[in-house]
Amino acid sequence: MELLPNLIGGQWRTPNVRETSPVMNPSRGESLTAVPMSSAAEVEEAVAEALKAFPDWRETPPNDRAQVMFRLKAMLEDEFEELAMGICQEHGKTLVEARGDLRRGIEMVEYACGAPTLLMGESLENIARGIDCHTDRIPLGVVAGICPFNFPALVPMWMWPLALVCGNCFILKPSEKVPLTMQRIAGMMKKAGLPDGVFSIVHGGREVVDALLEHPGVAAVSFVGSTPVAEAVYQKGCLHGKRVQAAGGAKNFLVILPDADVAATASALRDSAFGCAGERCMAGSVAVAVGEAGERVLPALVDILGSMRIGPTDTADQPDMGALITGAHRDRVKELISLGEAKGGKVLADGRSVRVDDAPGGYYVGPTIIDGVDYGNDLSTTEVFGPVLSVMRARTLDDAIAAANRQSFGNGACLFTTSGKAAREFRHRVSAGMVGINVGVPAPLAYFPFTGWNRSFFGDLHMQGREGVLFYTKQKTTTVRWFSFGEGDIWVK
Ligand code: NAD
């Protein structure tokens, strides 16, 4: 089988490797292609080419860098549907979800088009008599991005559009499970006018990640993935003197008060817990029903699930929910459900035995609801990353907030209510970086930061928005005093 090449110095190069990793179509369990598990040698080449390209790219005016993004945006729109279908094939999410993945990525390109404004510094005249002070934003140099499987377009695009318009060269290590979308988009970058070496791709796994983290030529690393890897990447990157932002896993709580709108809340819970088959870092994972809220909302939710169609997404006849990423992940999700049941959880909807007759090799788990989960149950603390909604019961809003704050992550937390006071209290006290009030997936758009907390984020500056610009630049402050007009004195007399 042909291997996907790396992109190094503007050339597609297939490395000579011992190990490869298959890229599967999860809808059917069939192989699409394979990626090389590159080594430190390929990282060395990519960094060398990027360092060569950096001086000229750094001198390229921000407006000209932004023009590359404008042209890329037009190309992405032209090929939008093909790219979205490609995401369905390599990831297994539905076409609607794939379009969303790509649309949110394109919004990052649009945001990056504002480079001249985003990169403006600050200045103050007369910090002392006759002395002025300026700060400028300076690119870091060569920066790297390491990505997870769950958003083949969006997550890499949290990183490179801003990194590039800030004047950096960027090396991407896509997820080895979903490398195709970025491979296609990288092909467009040259046509959009991006000079060779400014953007590179090195496929692989841990060896590539370690080499990027250890290389003295890499100034900063952006990482998104599971918490244990995020923490290790953060620590190793810092140890090697790099600036690091590392987003990790999540366990998002959805608190429902008895006064919540039943139909709207049931629909929001379905989208939050089962959208993208639960493979979202902002997926609702535990519903905390306060008082009678469970009796009001859960029957409506179970009812909607009954009409959800599960199946392959690489076809014109689109289902409501697709497959999980691998067979191993499917098995782990099923195992977590069984363990949760063994610890006293009551399964209200069971996706473990779902059958998809037209794609028997696909990695499917149907939507699952498991009620009566308590603190002793792993389902209250472990990230499942599948279509499983656990339900806890609470007597009061206080108890519900305490339950949400008890676990170690801190990405999202949502409240469903018609009470403004309760919403205010929740927003103020819940320990999560992204809060939804009657919104089940409170993922911020490109111009806001993606503000995970606790063990969902390691670092200081988040992806997206102004924080993204700060992450990819360093500041230079210049203080200026002129003593005389020099030779020009004559002109002012
Ligand atoms: P993962 O941690 O397995 O892999 C992420 C990346 O790290 C991949 O590129 C992989 O090749 C690399 N990697 C894996 N193991 C490594 C190791 N030991 N050393 C160095 N590199 C390693 O994550 P995944 O399964 O691809 O993605 C799912 C996870 O990502 C979930 O936990 C999800 O919550 C998280 N995620 C978080 C956010 C966020 O914003 N917080 C967004 C998307 C996904």
Side-chain angles (χ1 to χ4, degrees):
M1 180 178 290
E2 221 171 283
L3 282 182
L4 284 188
N6 292 327
L7 177 63
I8 295 178
Q11 310 299 317
W12 294 107
R13 302 184 192 173
T14 306
N16 210 344
V17 289
R18 271 172 289 120
E19 208 189 320
T20 64
S21 180
V23 180
M24 306 296 287
N25 173 358
S27 289
R28 303 188 185 277
E30 289 166 2
S31 157
L32 293 170
T33 178
V35 284
M37 298 306 271
S38 306
S39 67
E42 284 75 46
V43 170
E44 187 60 50
E45 284 174 27
V47 176
E49 292 293 337
L51 285 170
K52 242 192 267 169
F54 177 62
D56 193 55
W57 183 241
R58 184 226 191 289
E59 292 305 323
T60 303
N63 189 44
D64 293 350
R65 291 185 217 139
Q67 294 307 316
V68 175
M69 290 297 144
F70 276 109
R71 289 191 288 272
L72 192 59
K73 143 92 178 155
M75 291 175 183
L76 290 165
E77 296 293 357
D78 285 347
E79 298 195 24
F80 188 87
E81 284 303 310
E82 291 80 357
L83 284 164
M85 207 35 168
I87 294 174
C88 295
Q89 273 170 354
E90 66 174 338
H91 181 279
K93 62 176 76 174
T94 68
L95 187 54
V96 170
E97 292 162 351
R99 286 179 182 140
D101 184 342
L102 185 57
R103 177 56 56 205
R104 300 295 285 271
I106 292 176
E107 283 166 10
M108 284 303 300
V109 174
E110 290 165 358
Y111 183 66
C113 287
T117 313
L118 294 173
L119 285 166
M120 278 181 186
E122 294 176 325
S123 66
L124 182 66
E125 206 181 32
N126 275 347
I127 54 160
R129 284 175 188 273
I131 303 180
D132 305 328
C133 196
H134 315 270
T135 56
D136 297 302
R137 304 218 143 269
I138 314 291
L140 303 177
V142 176
V143 302
I146 299 151
C147 292
F149 76 82
N150 65 322
F151 281 94
L154 173 61
V155 171
M157 289 161 97
W158 275 349
M159 303 173 184
W160 57 257
L162 275 186
L164 295 181
V165 294
C166 287
N168 302 289
C169 292
F170 190 90
I171 300 174
L172 175 70
K173 194 211 82 67
S175 164
E176 63 278 26
K177 299 187 181 92
V178 295
L180 289 165
T181 302
M182 275 305 129
Q183 197 87 352
R184 290 180 184 126
I185 293 176
M188 297 175 186
M189 290 189 191
K190 195 167 181 144
K191 292 188 205 128
L194 196 72
D196 289 351
V198 173
F199 179 84
S200 316
I201 295 183
V202 182
H203 293 293
R206 183 175 183 162
E207 200 174 335
V208 169
V209 173
D210 283 342
L212 288 167
L213 291 170
E214 287 164 17
H215 201 297
V218 175
V221 173
S222 301
F223 174 90
V224 178
S226 58
T227 286
V229 185
E231 187 171 31
V233 163
Y234 180 74
Q235 288 172 349
K236 188 165 197 171
C238 291
L239 198 66
H240 285 84
K242 297 180 198 328
R243 190 178 282 198
V244 185
Q245 51 178 194
K251 187 82 186 169
N252 306 312
F253 276 56
L254 310 168
V255 174
I256 313 157
L257 295 189
D259 66 355
D261 179 295
V262 171
T265 303
S267 160
L269 292 184
R270 181 203 51 194
D271 293 345
S272 179
F274 308 117
C276 294
E279 290 176 327
R280 275 200 291 223
C281 67
M282 292 298 284
S285 183
V286 178
V288 187
V290 178
E292 294 304 303
E295 280 56 50
R296 298 185 68 228
V297 172
L298 288 177
L301 178 60
V302 172
D303 200 41
I304 321 181
L305 296 191
S307 60
M308 274 180 81
R309 285 173 56 229
I310 324 295
T313 60
D314 58 350
T315 127
D317 181 24
Q318 284 286 313
D320 300 304
M321 199 175 99
L324 293 176
I325 190 70
T326 59
H329 186 49
R330 172 202 54 202
D331 296 344
R332 176 176 149 74
V333 170
K334 285 188 185 181
E335 191 189 331
L336 283 169
I337 299 169
S338 300
L339 288 173
E341 191 179 24
K343 285 263 175 84
K346 183 172 168 224
V347 180
L348 302 185
D350 193 346
R352 282 172 291 189
S353 53
V354 72
R355 276 186 48 184
V356 177
D357 290 335
D358 50 341
Y363 311 132
Y364 298 97
V365 176
T368 299
I369 301 178
I370 179 157
D371 198 357
V373 168
D374 58 22
Y375 291 144
N377 194 317
D378 280 357
L379 286 176
S380 70
T381 49
T382 306
E383 181 178 43
V384 179
F385 224 53
V388 180
L389 182 67
S390 307
V391 181
M392 295 178 92
R393 303 292 177 141
R395 224 171 29 83
T396 62
L397 176 62
D398 274 1
D399 294 346
I401 293 174
N405 289 352
R406 197 172 179 274
Q407 42 85 39
S408 61
F409 299 102
N411 243 22
C414 304
L415 179 72
F416 295 88
T417 183
T418 48
S419 158
K421 176 68 178 160
R424 198 270 168 195
E425 199 61 21
F426 182 80
R427 175 186 167 192
H428 185 61
R429 286 170 44 201
V430 80
S431 181
M434 291 170 277
V435 174
I437 304 295
N438 298 312
V439 170
V441 186
L445 294 185
Y447 24 88
F448 284 99
F450 203 88
T451 44
W453 283 11
N454 307 335
R455 291 183 64 72
S456 291
F457 185 78
F458 302 87
D460 302 298
L461 296 166
H462 295 84
M463 284 96 187
Q464 295 198 157
R466 186 91 197 132
E467 287 204 17
V469 177
L470 297 180
F471 181 78
Y472 289 123
T473 52
K474 55 192 173 192
Q475 298 186 73
K476 181 178 279 181
T477 308
T478 309
T479 306
V480 183
R481 170 165 60 185
W482 298 100
F483 292 105
S484 74
F485 291 95
E487 294 286 303
D489 268 6
I490 190 167
W491 301 109
V492 294
K493 282 178 182 155

